[in-house]
Short mmCIF file of all heavy atoms in Angstrom, two decimals:
data_model
loop_
_atom_site.label_atom_id
_atom_site.label_comp_id
_atom_site.label_asym_id
_atom_site.label_seq_id
_atom_site.Cartn_x
_atom_site.Cartn_y
_atom_site.Cartn_z
N ALA K 250 33.02 -51.55 6.27
CA ALA K 250 32.77 -52.75 5.46
C ALA K 250 33.66 -53.87 6.03
O ALA K 250 34.84 -53.61 6.35
CB ALA K 250 33.13 -52.50 4.00
N ILE K 251 33.10 -55.03 6.14
CA ILE K 251 33.87 -56.16 6.71
C ILE K 251 34.00 -57.22 5.66
O ILE K 251 33.00 -57.61 5.01
CB ILE K 251 33.18 -56.74 7.95
CG1 ILE K 251 33.10 -55.66 9.04
CG2 ILE K 251 33.89 -57.96 8.46
CD1 ILE K 251 32.25 -56.05 10.22
N ILE K 252 35.22 -57.68 5.41
CA ILE K 252 35.47 -58.74 4.41
C ILE K 252 35.73 -60.01 5.21
O ILE K 252 36.63 -60.05 6.05
CB ILE K 252 36.66 -58.39 3.49
CG1 ILE K 252 36.39 -57.05 2.78
CG2 ILE K 252 36.97 -59.51 2.56
CD1 ILE K 252 37.58 -56.59 1.98
N HIS K 253 35.00 -61.02 4.87
CA HIS K 253 35.21 -62.31 5.55
C HIS K 253 35.55 -63.36 4.49
O HIS K 253 34.82 -63.55 3.50
CB HIS K 253 33.90 -62.68 6.29
CG HIS K 253 34.01 -64.05 6.95
ND1 HIS K 253 34.73 -64.22 8.11
CD2 HIS K 253 33.47 -65.23 6.61
CE1 HIS K 253 34.66 -65.50 8.46
NE2 HIS K 253 33.89 -66.16 7.57
N SER K 254 36.65 -64.06 4.69
CA SER K 254 37.05 -65.09 3.77
C SER K 254 36.54 -66.45 4.28
O SER K 254 36.72 -66.79 5.47
CB SER K 254 38.57 -65.14 3.65
OG SER K 254 39.05 -63.90 3.17
N SER K 255 35.91 -67.13 3.40
CA SER K 255 35.43 -68.46 3.78
C SER K 255 36.53 -69.51 3.85
O SER K 255 37.59 -69.33 3.19
CB SER K 255 34.35 -68.93 2.80
OG SER K 255 34.89 -68.99 1.50
N LYS K 256 36.38 -70.52 4.63
CA LYS K 256 37.40 -71.57 4.76
C LYS K 256 36.89 -72.92 4.24
O LYS K 256 35.66 -73.20 4.33
CB LYS K 256 37.77 -71.73 6.23
CG LYS K 256 38.50 -70.57 6.80
CD LYS K 256 38.86 -70.81 8.28
CE LYS K 256 39.62 -69.65 8.85
NZ LYS K 256 39.95 -69.88 10.27
N CYS K 257 37.82 -73.67 3.72
CA CYS K 257 37.45 -75.04 3.24
C CYS K 257 37.15 -75.91 4.42
O CYS K 257 37.94 -75.96 5.40
CB CYS K 257 38.61 -75.61 2.42
SG CYS K 257 38.29 -77.31 1.92
N GLU K 262 41.63 -74.24 4.71
CA GLU K 262 42.35 -73.19 4.02
C GLU K 262 41.42 -72.07 3.57
O GLU K 262 40.32 -72.34 3.11
CB GLU K 262 43.11 -73.74 2.82
CG GLU K 262 44.04 -72.73 2.18
CD GLU K 262 44.78 -73.35 1.01
OE1 GLU K 262 44.77 -74.61 0.88
OE2 GLU K 262 45.35 -72.60 0.21
N LYS K 263 41.88 -70.80 3.73
CA LYS K 263 41.03 -69.67 3.33
C LYS K 263 40.90 -69.58 1.84
O LYS K 263 41.84 -69.82 1.09
CB LYS K 263 41.64 -68.35 3.86
CG LYS K 263 41.53 -68.19 5.32
CD LYS K 263 42.03 -66.81 5.80
CE LYS K 263 41.84 -66.61 7.25
NZ LYS K 263 42.32 -65.32 7.72
N SER K 264 39.70 -69.16 1.40
CA SER K 264 39.44 -69.04 0.00
C SER K 264 40.02 -67.71 -0.55
O SER K 264 39.84 -66.65 0.02
CB SER K 264 37.91 -69.00 -0.26
OG SER K 264 37.67 -68.68 -1.61
N LYS K 265 40.88 -67.80 -1.65
CA LYS K 265 41.53 -66.59 -2.24
C LYS K 265 40.60 -65.87 -3.20
O LYS K 265 40.78 -64.71 -3.49
CB LYS K 265 42.79 -67.03 -2.95
CG LYS K 265 43.86 -67.61 -2.05
CD LYS K 265 45.06 -68.02 -2.81
CE LYS K 265 46.11 -68.55 -1.87
NZ LYS K 265 47.30 -69.09 -2.59
N SER K 266 39.57 -66.57 -3.70
CA SER K 266 38.70 -65.96 -4.70
C SER K 266 37.92 -64.75 -4.08
O SER K 266 37.63 -63.78 -4.72
CB SER K 266 37.72 -66.99 -5.25
OG SER K 266 36.90 -67.47 -4.22
N THR K 267 37.60 -64.85 -2.77
CA THR K 267 36.84 -63.76 -2.12
C THR K 267 37.63 -62.49 -2.13
O THR K 267 37.14 -61.37 -2.41
CB THR K 267 36.48 -64.18 -0.66
OG1 THR K 267 35.82 -65.40 -0.68
CG2 THR K 267 35.60 -63.10 -0.01
N MET K 268 38.94 -62.58 -1.79
CA MET K 268 39.84 -61.38 -1.76
C MET K 268 39.95 -60.79 -3.14
O MET K 268 39.97 -59.55 -3.29
CB MET K 268 41.20 -61.79 -1.23
CG MET K 268 41.23 -62.19 0.24
SD MET K 268 40.57 -60.91 1.32
CE MET K 268 41.80 -59.65 1.05
N SER K 269 40.10 -61.61 -4.13
CA SER K 269 40.19 -61.16 -5.52
C SER K 269 38.96 -60.37 -5.93
O SER K 269 39.04 -59.29 -6.50
CB SER K 269 40.45 -62.31 -6.46
OG SER K 269 40.41 -61.89 -7.78
N GLU K 270 37.79 -60.93 -5.59
CA GLU K 270 36.53 -60.23 -5.95
C GLU K 270 36.39 -58.96 -5.15
O GLU K 270 35.86 -57.93 -5.65
CB GLU K 270 35.37 -61.17 -5.67
CG GLU K 270 35.29 -62.33 -6.68
CD GLU K 270 34.18 -63.31 -6.29
OE1 GLU K 270 33.54 -63.11 -5.24
OE2 GLU K 270 33.98 -64.31 -7.02
N ALA K 271 36.85 -58.95 -3.91
CA ALA K 271 36.80 -57.74 -3.10
C ALA K 271 37.65 -56.64 -3.71
O ALA K 271 37.25 -55.46 -3.73
CB ALA K 271 37.25 -58.03 -1.67
N ASN K 272 38.83 -56.99 -4.18
CA ASN K 272 39.71 -56.00 -4.82
C ASN K 272 39.07 -55.43 -6.09
O ASN K 272 39.11 -54.23 -6.39
CB ASN K 272 41.07 -56.64 -5.16
CG ASN K 272 41.88 -56.90 -3.93
OD1 ASN K 272 41.65 -56.28 -2.90
ND2 ASN K 272 42.77 -57.92 -4.01
N GLN K 273 38.44 -56.33 -6.87
CA GLN K 273 37.76 -55.85 -8.11
C GLN K 273 36.62 -54.92 -7.79
O GLN K 273 36.39 -53.90 -8.41
CB GLN K 273 37.24 -57.08 -8.89
CG GLN K 273 38.36 -57.88 -9.55
CD GLN K 273 37.80 -59.11 -10.28
OE1 GLN K 273 36.60 -59.21 -10.46
NE2 GLN K 273 38.68 -59.99 -10.64
N LEU K 274 35.92 -55.26 -6.67
CA LEU K 274 34.80 -54.42 -6.26
C LEU K 274 35.29 -53.04 -5.79
O LEU K 274 34.68 -52.00 -6.11
CB LEU K 274 34.03 -55.10 -5.09
CG LEU K 274 32.84 -54.31 -4.51
CD1 LEU K 274 31.80 -54.09 -5.58
CD2 LEU K 274 32.25 -55.05 -3.32
N GLU K 275 36.42 -53.02 -5.08
CA GLU K 275 36.97 -51.74 -4.62
C GLU K 275 37.38 -50.86 -5.82
O GLU K 275 37.11 -49.64 -5.83
CB GLU K 275 38.22 -51.99 -3.75
CG GLU K 275 38.76 -50.69 -3.14
CD GLU K 275 39.98 -50.96 -2.29
OE1 GLU K 275 40.43 -52.12 -2.22
OE2 GLU K 275 40.49 -50.01 -1.71
N GLU K 276 37.99 -51.49 -6.84
CA GLU K 276 38.39 -50.75 -8.01
C GLU K 276 37.15 -50.16 -8.67
O GLU K 276 37.12 -49.01 -9.14
CB GLU K 276 39.13 -51.62 -8.98
CG GLU K 276 40.56 -51.97 -8.52
CD GLU K 276 41.23 -52.94 -9.49
OE1 GLU K 276 40.65 -53.19 -10.59
OE2 GLU K 276 42.32 -53.42 -9.16
#
Side-chain angles (χ1 to χ4, degrees):
I251 299 173
I252 301 175
H253 178 75
S254 300
S255 60
K256 291 181 180 178
C257 174
E262 187 178 346
K263 288 185 177 180
S264 171
K265 294 179 181 176
S266 62
T267 306
M268 293 303 295
S269 174
E270 289 174 359
N272 289 336
Q273 289 176 11
L274 178 62
E275 185 182 3
E276 287 177 8

